[in-house]
Amino acid sequence: PRPSPAPQPSPAPSAVAEPTLQVATFADLVALAGEKRDLRWKHALETFVRVARFEDGRMEIAVTAEAPPNLAGDLSRVLETWTGRRWMIAVARGADSPTIAESRRAARDQLVDDARADPVVAAVLAQFPGAEIVDVRVRADPEDAVPDELITMPDEDPDDDD
């Protein structure tokens, strides 16, 4: 009888994920950071990264002046861990796309400007000097909106008994 071969040690589990995860868009990548509950990376992606080109496995980005100097290398390593394959991150100069945070800020500023231009809001702001718009929320369902006939602006001073 032949001696049985010595048992081989099983390979140590790798910290790298199985290479089955596809990331089609930058928005998918930001969502993946959220799913991984890695708020540091989610914040960095939203705040410091301007995407010039994106495809699964490679990105061309520009970074803001506030970005950590090693962001691209660190991002490549964390993406390899999350997706199970290497990522090529090229840092370009002058990508003119805004960061996600800049886009959100611009959209919020536009909502405030639109609200300020609304005649009803303008009238309220005129009645209360020093008042300012601190937030604008758009209702998802128009049925929730207050009907126009319920919104009235006083034409004259309520203390005037004429």
Side-chain angles (χ1 to χ4, degrees), residues 107-121:
R108 184 198 173 281
D109 290 348
Q110 184 62 52
L111 284 173
V112 169
D113 290 345
D114 291 349
R116 189 175 288 118
D118 182 90
V120 173
V121 174

Side-chain angles (χ1 to χ4, degrees), residues 1 11 18 39 61 74 105 109 149:
E18 290 296 316
L39 298 182
I61 62 172
D74 291 347
R105 211 169 11 260
D109 290 348
E149 53 274 359

Side-chain angles (χ1 to χ4, degrees), residues 126-147:
Q127 289 291 318
F128 299 98
E132 59 185 56
I133 300 170
V134 295
D135 192 20
V136 177
R137 296 182 189 152
V138 178
R139 292 182 188 267
D141 187 0
E143 294 294 319
D144 291 340
V146 177

Side-chain angles (χ1 to χ4, degrees), residues 88-119:
M88 168 87 91
I89 312 283
V91 179
R93 296 225 186 271
D96 54 357
S97 64
T99 67
I100 291 174
E102 290 168 340
S103 294
R104 284 184 186 149
R105 211 169 11 260
R108 184 198 173 281
D109 290 348
Q110 184 62 52
L111 284 173
V112 169
D113 290 345
D114 291 349
R116 189 175 288 118
D118 182 90

Side-chain angles (χ1 to χ4, degrees), residues 122-129 153-154:
V124 170
L125 291 173
Q127 289 291 318
F128 299 98
M153 296 303 299

